[in-house]
Structure formats: structure tokens, C-alpha cells
Amino acid sequence: MNTSSRVNQTAAQSPIHRLALRASFMLVMSLFACNAFGQTLTTLYNFGAFFNDATAPGSGVIIDKNGNLFGATGFGGRAGRGGTVFELSPPAVAGQAWTETILRRFNGPPNDGQIAESRPVMTSDGELLGTTLRGGTVNLGTVYRLTPPVTAGDAWKEKILHNFGTIPGDVVSSNLGLFVAPEGLYGVDQGGENNFGAFYLLTPPAPHTSTWTQHILYTFQGSGDAADPSGELVRDSSGNFFGVTAQGGANNLGAVYELSPPATSGGSWTEQVIYSFNFTDGTLPGGRLLLGPDGVLFGTASGGGADQNGLVFRLNPPAVAGDAWTETILYTFTGGADGTSPNNGVISNSWGQLFGTAGNVIFMLRPPRGSVKSYREVALHTFTGPDGFAVNTPLTMTKGTLYGTTTQGGIFGKGTAFKLTLP
């Protein structure tokens, strides 16, 4: 059965309802942020437009070379609860509606995943890879692969690469994305032998076989170690991975950790906590770290700080190996018009400006310049409902435009996909 369905915003509605929705849609499309920077927010799609549509996209989107957006949802699809993977394609004529294609509606256990909360990644061949929170043979989640069709319009083909919870000390209930490498798929998530989380590698099948193999490379220990992974991995040029955990560290308030590959083939990976949060400098860090020049790390903590509404931080590596990393708080949120509880990391442009989401706000941090010695925050857009609501999801940037999703709001109250065009 072909699981793809191509729809627009007003499919299967009465003529009167269709006109009303079109008017509402054009109103939402025209919403923009009016300020000195001149950025414009455009709603690309309102989720929940038809029965079994994708709903509540909570992990943002990725973008391919043709400008198509891809994402996953934990809700919607079959019976409204299986979750989906979707594609949004730009119109052939500027100003017209984007088109949604449902690439996969998950069926759930025992043969399929369910609740796709992680943002998918795309390979150089155009395949999509991701994880699900539930589903699979023991209903503890899956790793899936979607392969595009040879003939345009045909269905994408799904293969379950791994069923979580099926080997000793395995990851379970994954809601974090994957890191694609030549040797396989790396990931980090809940579970592990100590139930504090684990770091794993999924290697492709050997010749003439079809089974992927799961390797647990490190199990978080608790008792001062990092615990409860809360962000995807980032890798430096030496092959070291960095990530954050919501718990653990010296104060059990969250940590930043480093995972280093073995010095010799077949050896063990090593892990170290490179920073422990203490509440005044943040707590509950989340989201993918941004790896900057000279190994500097940027990230977000959803709690702590002077106003207890979270912050954006920077970690500088030590000048001498083995010394402590140094944290700098770049901005502390007040919980007002500037946003609150950032939990999905930041991205940057070539000018060193940082962008992220906090509550219902898309923000920018402008780096120090001239006589200004600190980062300054600018609220680029505040969502109010018709244009979306609850935007605490990661952003994607290309050609000076930010793309993302909201989990609520929009015409149908089921979330939106948007772009924010910067001047």
C-alpha cells in the first residue's frame, strides 16, 4: 500500500469552509515581525489539515539542496497517535502554498516504530534516518531508515535497522537523533546498564547479510558522571564527541561530557565530564551543542541563571590539556519578552550571531563589538497563536533564512512550519 499522500491546506472541505480557511491562511501568511531588523515570518504549513495528517512537530526540520523540508512528528498519522515523517516542498510560483507529503505513517509494535520525536538526518543518497520513542519488537523504540523512490510519486520504503531494548544494556525509548559517520550510526539516549543512558554505534550489515549490529560503546555511571542524555552528539575533527545531560555531574544538575575514541583499534572509548552545572550558571542543559572555532562549545540550559529562566552558555577548552574548561554565561533569560527556558541549543551564521528558540520567542544573540563588551539579545519574533505557539524546537538556517516548527497553534491548533527571513 502506498503510504504517501500529497495534500494542500484545504483538502476535503466544503466550499464555504474552504474559502474561510483560505482567508485565514492568507492572514497567517501575511504575519510578520515589524522592527528595525526587518525580518519577516511566513507560515509555510498548518499541521492537522486533514484526517491522519502529521500533528505537533516537536523536533524542527532539516532542508535538502532543493529547498525541501523534512521532519518527524510524535503524533498524527494512523489513529492520530503513531507519528509521521513528512516533507514540505516549496511552490513552483513564489507566494503560493507549500505542499506536504506524508512519507511514512508509523504502525507501531511489533513491526514498526511509533512516536517519532527526534529530528531525522539525511544521508548523501537522500535517505532519512531517525529514531522512535516506542514501537518495535519490545515496544521500546526503533532506528528506522526511509529510502526515496526511484520513480517520483512512488512510496518511500522503510526498514527497521534496530529494535531498542533487545540486547543487554541497550538504549531504550529514544527521542534523540543520530550522527551519521562512515563507520555507521552513532547515538546517545536513555537506558543503558545503569539506566543513566548509553552511547552506541550501529554498524551496517556485513556482505551478503542484512542485519545491522548494535554496539554499546559507553554506559553512563551516575555518582558524579553525566546522566540522562538530553541532546544530540556533535563531533570534532579528532573524532571526539560532545553532548549534554539533563542530570548528573558533580552537583547532579546537568553536565557537558566528552567521549573520546580508543587510541588503538578494538580499545574502549573513554568519557569525561568537562563541565558540571551548579544552578547559578545553569541547570537542565538540552539540545545539540554548537562546536565553534578552536573547539569552543555553545549551548543552552533551560533552568537556572540569575532569573531562573535558563541561559545561553559558552565553554572554552583549557590551554593545557587536563585543566578545567571555562564557562561564560552569554545571556540569561528573564522570562519576559525575551523568552524563557531555551532547551534546543543554538546555531550561528558567519558573523558569529547566535540564533535559538525560547518558549514562544525566536531570539538572536549579537556578539560583542566595539564598546559593547557583552552579547545582546534581540527577540526576532514572538508567536501568539495564529502563527503558531510553543516554538521550543531547534532551528535550521540556510541562505540567511531560519526554518522551524511550532508544536501548537496555527489554523488547526496542531502546530506549524515556518520560515523567518532575515534582512
Side-chain angles (χ1 to χ4, degrees), residues 19 24 55 102 115 162 180 195 229 244-245 254 262 300 341 362 377 390:
L19 288 173
S24 298
T55 61
I102 301 296
I115 310 180
H162 180 68
V180 179
N195 205 33
V244 298
T245 60
T300 55
S341 302
I362 301 173
E377 196 248 18

Side-chain angles (χ1 to χ4, degrees), residues 64-386:
D64 70 8
K65 61 183 179 181
N66 297 316
N68 302 298
L69 306 180
F70 299 84
T73 67
F75 299 94
R78 301 190 186 282
R81 61 182 179 84
T84 70
V85 178
F86 64 86
E87 176 184 2
L88 293 174
S89 301
V93 178
Q96 294 186 355
W98 285 54
T99 303
E100 184 207 48
T101 303
I102 301 296
L103 305 182
R104 181 67 184 175
R105 290 186 176 91
F106 293 101
N107 294 307
N111 299 317
D112 199 6
Q114 187 178 39
I115 310 180
E117 290 191 344
S118 69
R119 183 166 52 172
V121 294
M122 179 173 282
T123 69
S124 58
D125 297 326
E127 294 180 330
L128 293 172
L129 299 157
T131 64
T132 64
L133 187 71
R134 292 285 184 265
T137 55
V138 293
N139 201 25
L140 289 174
T142 66
V143 177
Y144 66 85
R145 179 182 67 198
L146 291 177
T147 303
V150 176
T151 304
D154 287 351
W156 287 56
K157 294 182 179 179
E158 185 202 34
K159 179 178 177 60
I160 300 299
L161 305 184
H162 180 68
N163 291 279
F164 287 121
T166 54
I167 66 171
D170 199 3
V171 160
V172 298
S173 302
S174 176
N175 63 356
L176 298 176
L178 301 164
F179 185 96
V180 179
E183 59 270 31
L185 306 174
Y186 289 96
V188 63
D189 225 303
Q190 315 303 312
E193 184 178 355
N194 304 308
N195 205 33
F196 292 118
F199 167 56
Y200 65 88
L201 170 65
L202 194 63
T203 55
H208 312 298
T209 66
S210 60
T211 303
W212 287 65
T213 304
Q214 178 85 316
H215 309 269
I216 302 300
L217 304 179
Y218 182 78
T219 298
F220 294 99
Q221 304 297 309
S223 299
D225 193 10
D228 190 15
S230 53
E232 292 87 352
L233 296 166
V234 62
R235 195 180 201 179
D236 69 13
S237 58
S238 299
N240 303 297
F241 284 103
F242 299 87
V244 298
T245 60
Q247 307 294 328
N251 307 301
N252 201 31
L253 294 172
V256 180
Y257 61 87
E258 177 182 5
L259 290 158
S260 300
T264 58
S265 178
S268 298
W269 284 70
T270 57
E271 183 259 10
Q272 63 172 328
V273 172
I274 61 174
Y275 193 78
S276 296
F277 292 91
N278 62 26
F279 191 80
T280 59
D281 61 355
T283 186
L284 298 173
R288 181 183 297 163
L289 292 167
L290 171 65
L291 182 61
D294 302 319
V296 174
L297 297 171
F298 298 85
T300 55
S302 62
D307 295 298
Q308 302 181 23
N309 287 294
L311 51 84
V312 178
F313 65 86
R314 181 182 67 210
L315 286 178
N316 287 77
V320 178
D323 286 353
W325 288 60
T326 304
E327 188 210 35
T328 302
I329 297 174
L330 304 184
Y331 184 78
T332 299
F333 290 85
T334 68
D338 59 343
T340 185
S341 302
N343 196 42
N344 284 280
V346 291
I347 59 176
S348 68
N349 60 16
S350 58
W351 293 283
Q353 296 166 333
L354 303 177
F355 301 87
T357 59
N360 283 309
V361 174
I362 301 173
F363 67 85
M364 174 178 68
L365 292 184
R366 305 176 72 182
R369 184 177 181 182
S371 60
V372 179
K373 303 302 181 182
S374 61
Y375 278 77
R376 293 172 293 166
E377 196 248 18
V378 178
L380 295 176
H381 186 82
T382 301
F383 291 87
T384 58

